[in-house]
Short mmCIF file of all heavy atoms in Angstrom, two decimals:
data_model
loop_
_atom_site.label_atom_id
_atom_site.label_comp_id
_atom_site.label_asym_id
_atom_site.label_seq_id
_atom_site.Cartn_x
_atom_site.Cartn_y
_atom_site.Cartn_z
N PHE A 1 -4.75 -26.72 -59.40
CA PHE A 1 -5.74 -27.09 -58.47
C PHE A 1 -5.86 -28.58 -58.35
O PHE A 1 -5.88 -29.15 -57.19
CB PHE A 1 -7.09 -26.45 -58.74
CG PHE A 1 -8.11 -26.85 -57.77
CD1 PHE A 1 -8.14 -26.24 -56.52
CD2 PHE A 1 -9.08 -27.78 -58.04
CE1 PHE A 1 -9.11 -26.62 -55.51
CE2 PHE A 1 -10.05 -28.15 -57.10
CZ PHE A 1 -10.14 -27.60 -55.87
N ALA A 2 -6.00 -29.25 -59.40
CA ALA A 2 -6.24 -30.73 -59.42
C ALA A 2 -5.18 -31.57 -58.69
O ALA A 2 -5.47 -32.57 -58.05
CB ALA A 2 -6.40 -31.32 -60.76
N LEU A 3 -3.94 -31.03 -58.65
CA LEU A 3 -2.85 -31.77 -57.99
C LEU A 3 -2.47 -31.09 -56.65
O LEU A 3 -1.50 -31.50 -56.02
CB LEU A 3 -1.59 -31.80 -58.91
CG LEU A 3 -1.87 -32.55 -60.21
CD1 LEU A 3 -0.61 -32.43 -61.11
CD2 LEU A 3 -2.24 -33.94 -60.01
N SER A 4 -3.29 -30.14 -56.25
CA SER A 4 -2.98 -29.41 -55.00
C SER A 4 -3.55 -30.22 -53.68
O SER A 4 -4.34 -31.18 -53.89
CB SER A 4 -3.60 -28.01 -54.96
OG SER A 4 -5.00 -28.19 -54.86
N GLU A 5 -3.14 -29.82 -52.54
CA GLU A 5 -3.66 -30.42 -51.37
C GLU A 5 -5.08 -30.21 -51.11
O GLU A 5 -5.80 -30.89 -50.44
CB GLU A 5 -2.79 -29.93 -50.13
CG GLU A 5 -1.39 -30.40 -50.19
CD GLU A 5 -0.58 -30.00 -48.95
OE1 GLU A 5 -1.26 -29.32 -48.10
OE2 GLU A 5 0.62 -30.26 -48.83
N THR A 6 -5.62 -29.11 -51.73
CA THR A 6 -6.97 -28.64 -51.63
C THR A 6 -7.95 -29.61 -52.39
O THR A 6 -9.04 -29.91 -51.93
CB THR A 6 -7.20 -27.24 -52.11
OG1 THR A 6 -6.31 -26.42 -51.42
CG2 THR A 6 -8.60 -26.78 -51.89
N ALA A 7 -7.52 -30.15 -53.52
CA ALA A 7 -8.33 -30.87 -54.38
C ALA A 7 -8.79 -32.26 -53.67
O ALA A 7 -7.98 -32.87 -52.99
CB ALA A 7 -7.66 -31.25 -55.70
N ASP A 8 -10.06 -32.66 -53.89
CA ASP A 8 -10.58 -33.90 -53.45
C ASP A 8 -10.32 -35.00 -54.51
O ASP A 8 -10.99 -35.03 -55.52
CB ASP A 8 -12.07 -33.81 -53.17
CG ASP A 8 -12.70 -35.06 -52.66
OD1 ASP A 8 -11.94 -36.05 -52.40
OD2 ASP A 8 -13.90 -35.13 -52.48
N ARG A 9 -9.27 -35.79 -54.34
CA ARG A 9 -8.90 -36.88 -55.34
C ARG A 9 -9.39 -38.19 -54.70
O ARG A 9 -8.96 -38.57 -53.57
CB ARG A 9 -7.49 -36.80 -55.65
CG ARG A 9 -6.99 -35.62 -56.38
CD ARG A 9 -5.57 -35.73 -56.75
NE ARG A 9 -4.67 -35.63 -55.61
CZ ARG A 9 -4.27 -34.60 -55.02
NH1 ARG A 9 -4.60 -33.42 -55.45
NH2 ARG A 9 -3.50 -34.72 -53.91
N ARG A 10 -10.14 -38.92 -55.46
CA ARG A 10 -10.71 -40.19 -54.95
C ARG A 10 -10.36 -41.40 -55.92
O ARG A 10 -10.23 -41.16 -57.13
CB ARG A 10 -12.24 -40.14 -54.92
CG ARG A 10 -12.78 -38.92 -54.13
CD ARG A 10 -14.28 -38.82 -54.15
NE ARG A 10 -14.74 -37.68 -53.43
CZ ARG A 10 -16.04 -37.38 -53.23
NH1 ARG A 10 -16.98 -38.22 -53.70
NH2 ARG A 10 -16.40 -36.28 -52.67
N PRO A 11 -10.21 -42.54 -55.35
CA PRO A 11 -10.08 -43.75 -56.20
C PRO A 11 -11.31 -43.93 -57.25
O PRO A 11 -12.44 -43.57 -56.74
CB PRO A 11 -9.99 -44.95 -55.27
CG PRO A 11 -9.58 -44.30 -53.97
CD PRO A 11 -10.21 -42.98 -53.94
N PHE A 12 -11.05 -44.25 -58.42
CA PHE A 12 -12.09 -44.23 -59.34
C PHE A 12 -13.12 -45.32 -58.90
O PHE A 12 -12.86 -46.52 -58.57
CB PHE A 12 -11.65 -44.73 -60.79
CG PHE A 12 -12.66 -44.63 -61.85
CD1 PHE A 12 -12.89 -43.47 -62.56
CD2 PHE A 12 -13.47 -45.76 -62.02
CE1 PHE A 12 -13.96 -43.47 -63.51
CE2 PHE A 12 -14.46 -45.74 -62.97
CZ PHE A 12 -14.76 -44.59 -63.69
N ASP A 13 -14.41 -44.92 -58.91
CA ASP A 13 -15.55 -45.87 -58.57
C ASP A 13 -16.64 -45.60 -59.62
O ASP A 13 -17.19 -44.50 -59.60
CB ASP A 13 -16.01 -45.57 -57.18
CG ASP A 13 -17.21 -46.51 -56.81
OD1 ASP A 13 -16.92 -47.59 -56.21
OD2 ASP A 13 -18.36 -46.10 -57.06
N LEU A 14 -16.97 -46.57 -60.47
CA LEU A 14 -17.91 -46.42 -61.52
C LEU A 14 -19.26 -45.96 -61.03
O LEU A 14 -19.85 -44.99 -61.57
CB LEU A 14 -17.96 -47.74 -62.33
CG LEU A 14 -19.00 -47.64 -63.50
CD1 LEU A 14 -18.64 -46.62 -64.51
CD2 LEU A 14 -19.11 -48.99 -64.18
N GLU A 15 -19.74 -46.58 -59.98
CA GLU A 15 -21.11 -46.19 -59.48
C GLU A 15 -21.15 -44.70 -59.02
O GLU A 15 -22.09 -44.02 -59.32
CB GLU A 15 -21.44 -47.15 -58.26
CG GLU A 15 -21.71 -48.53 -58.63
CD GLU A 15 -22.94 -48.76 -59.49
OE1 GLU A 15 -23.85 -47.89 -59.58
OE2 GLU A 15 -23.09 -49.81 -60.22
N GLU A 16 -20.12 -44.30 -58.36
CA GLU A 16 -20.05 -42.98 -57.88
C GLU A 16 -19.98 -41.96 -59.01
O GLU A 16 -20.67 -40.90 -59.03
CB GLU A 16 -18.85 -42.73 -56.96
CG GLU A 16 -18.91 -41.36 -56.29
CD GLU A 16 -17.70 -41.10 -55.36
OE1 GLU A 16 -16.89 -42.04 -55.18
OE2 GLU A 16 -17.58 -40.02 -54.80
N VAL A 17 -19.17 -42.33 -59.99
CA VAL A 17 -18.95 -41.36 -61.13
C VAL A 17 -20.31 -41.28 -61.93
O VAL A 17 -20.66 -40.15 -62.33
CB VAL A 17 -17.87 -42.02 -62.11
CG1 VAL A 17 -17.92 -41.29 -63.48
CG2 VAL A 17 -16.58 -41.84 -61.46
N LEU A 18 -21.02 -42.36 -62.11
CA LEU A 18 -22.19 -42.31 -62.93
C LEU A 18 -23.35 -41.42 -62.24
O LEU A 18 -24.23 -40.94 -62.84
CB LEU A 18 -22.80 -43.66 -63.14
CG LEU A 18 -21.91 -44.62 -64.00
CD1 LEU A 18 -22.53 -45.92 -64.10
CD2 LEU A 18 -21.66 -43.95 -65.43
N GLN A 19 -23.15 -41.25 -60.99
CA GLN A 19 -24.12 -40.42 -60.22
C GLN A 19 -23.62 -39.02 -59.85
O GLN A 19 -24.36 -38.28 -59.17
CB GLN A 19 -24.52 -41.14 -58.93
CG GLN A 19 -25.30 -42.54 -59.24
CD GLN A 19 -25.56 -43.28 -57.90
OE1 GLN A 19 -26.13 -42.66 -57.00
NE2 GLN A 19 -25.43 -44.55 -57.95
N THR A 20 -22.44 -38.66 -60.31
CA THR A 20 -21.92 -37.37 -59.93
C THR A 20 -22.11 -36.41 -61.17
O THR A 20 -21.50 -36.49 -62.15
CB THR A 20 -20.40 -37.47 -59.61
OG1 THR A 20 -20.22 -38.50 -58.57
CG2 THR A 20 -19.79 -36.20 -59.23
N PRO A 21 -22.93 -35.35 -60.95
CA PRO A 21 -23.09 -34.37 -62.04
C PRO A 21 -21.81 -33.67 -62.34
O PRO A 21 -20.94 -33.48 -61.43
CB PRO A 21 -24.11 -33.36 -61.39
CG PRO A 21 -24.83 -34.13 -60.33
CD PRO A 21 -23.78 -35.12 -59.76
N TYR A 22 -21.60 -33.24 -63.61
CA TYR A 22 -20.41 -32.59 -63.85
C TYR A 22 -20.55 -31.08 -63.69
O TYR A 22 -21.61 -30.49 -63.72
CB TYR A 22 -19.88 -32.88 -65.34
CG TYR A 22 -20.92 -33.01 -66.39
CD1 TYR A 22 -21.52 -31.95 -66.96
CD2 TYR A 22 -21.31 -34.32 -66.87
CE1 TYR A 22 -22.44 -32.09 -67.98
CE2 TYR A 22 -22.25 -34.46 -67.85
CZ TYR A 22 -22.80 -33.40 -68.40
OH TYR A 22 -23.75 -33.46 -69.45
N ILE A 23 -19.36 -30.44 -63.55
CA ILE A 23 -19.31 -28.98 -63.23
C ILE A 23 -18.60 -28.25 -64.38
O ILE A 23 -17.52 -28.67 -64.76
CB ILE A 23 -18.61 -28.74 -61.92
CG1 ILE A 23 -19.32 -29.43 -60.79
CG2 ILE A 23 -18.29 -27.28 -61.64
CD1 ILE A 23 -18.54 -29.44 -59.49
N LYS A 24 -19.21 -27.24 -64.91
CA LYS A 24 -18.61 -26.54 -66.08
C LYS A 24 -18.07 -25.11 -65.73
O LYS A 24 -17.31 -24.54 -66.60
CB LYS A 24 -19.62 -26.43 -67.16
CG LYS A 24 -20.00 -27.80 -67.81
CD LYS A 24 -20.96 -27.66 -69.03
CE LYS A 24 -21.27 -28.96 -69.62
NZ LYS A 24 -22.22 -28.76 -70.76
N ASP A 25 -18.54 -24.54 -64.60
CA ASP A 25 -18.25 -23.13 -64.35
C ASP A 25 -17.23 -22.86 -63.29
O ASP A 25 -17.03 -21.75 -62.84
CB ASP A 25 -19.47 -22.41 -64.09
CG ASP A 25 -20.29 -22.95 -62.90
OD1 ASP A 25 -19.85 -24.01 -62.36
OD2 ASP A 25 -21.29 -22.36 -62.49
N LYS A 26 -16.58 -23.98 -62.83
CA LYS A 26 -15.60 -23.85 -61.72
C LYS A 26 -14.72 -25.10 -61.65
O LYS A 26 -15.07 -26.09 -62.37
CB LYS A 26 -16.18 -23.49 -60.38
CG LYS A 26 -17.25 -24.60 -59.88
CD LYS A 26 -17.79 -24.28 -58.49
CE LYS A 26 -18.78 -25.34 -58.08
NZ LYS A 26 -19.41 -24.99 -56.74
N PHE A 27 -13.72 -25.09 -60.81
CA PHE A 27 -12.88 -26.31 -60.70
C PHE A 27 -13.78 -27.43 -60.17
O PHE A 27 -14.79 -27.19 -59.46
CB PHE A 27 -11.78 -26.03 -59.78
CG PHE A 27 -10.77 -25.04 -60.25
CD1 PHE A 27 -10.02 -24.33 -59.36
CD2 PHE A 27 -10.52 -24.89 -61.56
CE1 PHE A 27 -9.07 -23.38 -59.74
CE2 PHE A 27 -9.60 -23.92 -62.06
CZ PHE A 27 -8.81 -23.16 -61.10
N GLN A 28 -13.40 -28.66 -60.52
CA GLN A 28 -14.22 -29.79 -60.15
C GLN A 28 -14.10 -29.98 -58.60
O GLN A 28 -13.12 -29.73 -57.95
CB GLN A 28 -13.64 -31.13 -60.84
CG GLN A 28 -13.63 -30.95 -62.29
CD GLN A 28 -14.98 -30.71 -62.91
OE1 GLN A 28 -15.93 -31.47 -62.68
NE2 GLN A 28 -15.04 -29.59 -63.56
N GLU A 29 -15.27 -30.43 -58.03
CA GLU A 29 -15.31 -30.76 -56.64
C GLU A 29 -14.72 -32.02 -56.24
O GLU A 29 -14.30 -32.20 -55.07
CB GLU A 29 -16.78 -30.61 -56.19
CG GLU A 29 -17.40 -29.29 -56.27
CD GLU A 29 -18.86 -29.24 -55.85
OE1 GLU A 29 -19.46 -30.33 -55.50
OE2 GLU A 29 -19.48 -28.14 -55.83
N GLN A 30 -14.51 -32.94 -57.21
CA GLN A 30 -13.80 -34.12 -56.94
C GLN A 30 -13.17 -34.63 -58.21
O GLN A 30 -13.72 -34.39 -59.34
CB GLN A 30 -14.64 -35.26 -56.43
CG GLN A 30 -15.88 -35.65 -57.22
CD GLN A 30 -17.03 -34.66 -57.04
OE1 GLN A 30 -17.49 -34.40 -55.98
NE2 GLN A 30 -17.52 -34.20 -58.18
N TYR A 31 -12.03 -35.34 -58.13
CA TYR A 31 -11.37 -35.90 -59.28
C TYR A 31 -11.27 -37.40 -58.94
O TYR A 31 -11.02 -37.85 -57.83
CB TYR A 31 -10.01 -35.37 -59.42
CG TYR A 31 -10.02 -33.87 -59.70
CD1 TYR A 31 -9.99 -32.90 -58.65
CD2 TYR A 31 -10.09 -33.38 -61.00
CE1 TYR A 31 -9.95 -31.52 -58.88
CE2 TYR A 31 -10.11 -31.93 -61.28
CZ TYR A 31 -10.06 -31.06 -60.20
OH TYR A 31 -10.06 -29.75 -60.42
N PHE A 32 -11.39 -38.24 -59.95
CA PHE A 32 -11.33 -39.74 -59.83
C PHE A 32 -9.98 -40.21 -60.45
O PHE A 32 -9.75 -39.91 -61.56
CB PHE A 32 -12.58 -40.33 -60.46
CG PHE A 32 -13.84 -39.96 -59.77
CD1 PHE A 32 -14.58 -38.94 -60.21
CD2 PHE A 32 -14.28 -40.62 -58.63
CE1 PHE A 32 -15.78 -38.50 -59.54
CE2 PHE A 32 -15.46 -40.29 -57.97
CZ PHE A 32 -16.21 -39.22 -58.48
N VAL A 33 -9.30 -40.99 -59.62
CA VAL A 33 -7.97 -41.46 -60.03
C VAL A 33 -7.99 -42.88 -60.41
O VAL A 33 -8.36 -43.74 -59.61
CB VAL A 33 -7.02 -41.18 -58.85
CG1 VAL A 33 -5.58 -41.52 -59.28
CG2 VAL A 33 -7.06 -39.76 -58.38
N LEU A 34 -7.54 -43.19 -61.66
CA LEU A 34 -7.36 -44.56 -62.07
C LEU A 34 -6.15 -45.22 -61.46
O LEU A 34 -5.11 -44.51 -61.20
CB LEU A 34 -7.25 -44.65 -63.58
CG LEU A 34 -8.40 -44.12 -64.46
CD1 LEU A 34 -7.92 -44.22 -65.90
CD2 LEU A 34 -9.60 -44.88 -64.17
N ASP A 35 -6.15 -46.50 -61.27
CA ASP A 35 -4.93 -47.21 -60.77
C ASP A 35 -3.86 -47.25 -61.88
O ASP A 35 -2.69 -47.22 -61.60
CB ASP A 35 -5.28 -48.66 -60.38
CG ASP A 35 -6.10 -48.67 -59.12
OD1 ASP A 35 -6.04 -47.72 -58.19
OD2 ASP A 35 -6.88 -49.53 -58.90
N ASP A 36 -4.29 -47.37 -63.11
CA ASP A 36 -3.51 -47.27 -64.34
C ASP A 36 -4.34 -47.07 -65.50
O ASP A 36 -5.58 -47.26 -65.38
CB ASP A 36 -2.60 -48.56 -64.48
CG ASP A 36 -3.47 -49.82 -64.59
OD1 ASP A 36 -4.19 -49.87 -65.58
OD2 ASP A 36 -3.22 -50.67 -63.73
N LEU A 37 -3.85 -46.69 -66.62
CA LEU A 37 -4.65 -46.23 -67.77
C LEU A 37 -5.42 -47.49 -68.33
O LEU A 37 -6.54 -47.37 -68.87
CB LEU A 37 -3.86 -45.64 -68.84
CG LEU A 37 -4.63 -44.74 -69.76
CD1 LEU A 37 -5.09 -43.45 -69.04
CD2 LEU A 37 -3.66 -44.34 -71.03
N GLU A 38 -4.83 -48.69 -68.21
CA GLU A 38 -5.58 -49.87 -68.71
C GLU A 38 -6.84 -50.10 -67.97
O GLU A 38 -7.73 -50.85 -68.53
CB GLU A 38 -4.58 -51.09 -68.55
CG GLU A 38 -3.35 -51.10 -69.50
CD GLU A 38 -3.70 -51.41 -70.85
OE1 GLU A 38 -4.83 -51.98 -71.08
OE2 GLU A 38 -2.95 -51.00 -71.78
N GLN A 39 -7.03 -49.50 -66.87
CA GLN A 39 -8.28 -49.64 -66.14
C GLN A 39 -9.51 -49.14 -67.06
O GLN A 39 -10.65 -49.54 -66.80
CB GLN A 39 -8.24 -48.88 -64.80
CG GLN A 39 -9.43 -49.21 -63.89
CD GLN A 39 -9.31 -48.41 -62.61
OE1 GLN A 39 -8.30 -47.81 -62.26
NE2 GLN A 39 -10.40 -48.48 -61.77
N LEU A 40 -9.15 -48.23 -67.94
CA LEU A 40 -10.29 -47.75 -68.88
C LEU A 40 -10.91 -48.95 -69.60
O LEU A 40 -12.12 -48.93 -69.87
CB LEU A 40 -9.66 -46.78 -69.89
CG LEU A 40 -9.27 -45.42 -69.26
CD1 LEU A 40 -8.58 -44.56 -70.39
CD2 LEU A 40 -10.54 -44.66 -68.72
#
């Protein structure tokens, strides 16, 4: 699902992530994509 055309993949944005509740009982409604791992 995460790599499908259906998934909502967004550029990583700290402000948005901090305000997005997590989901435990189904696939995620959005995924955040780093430009590279060093961005961590």
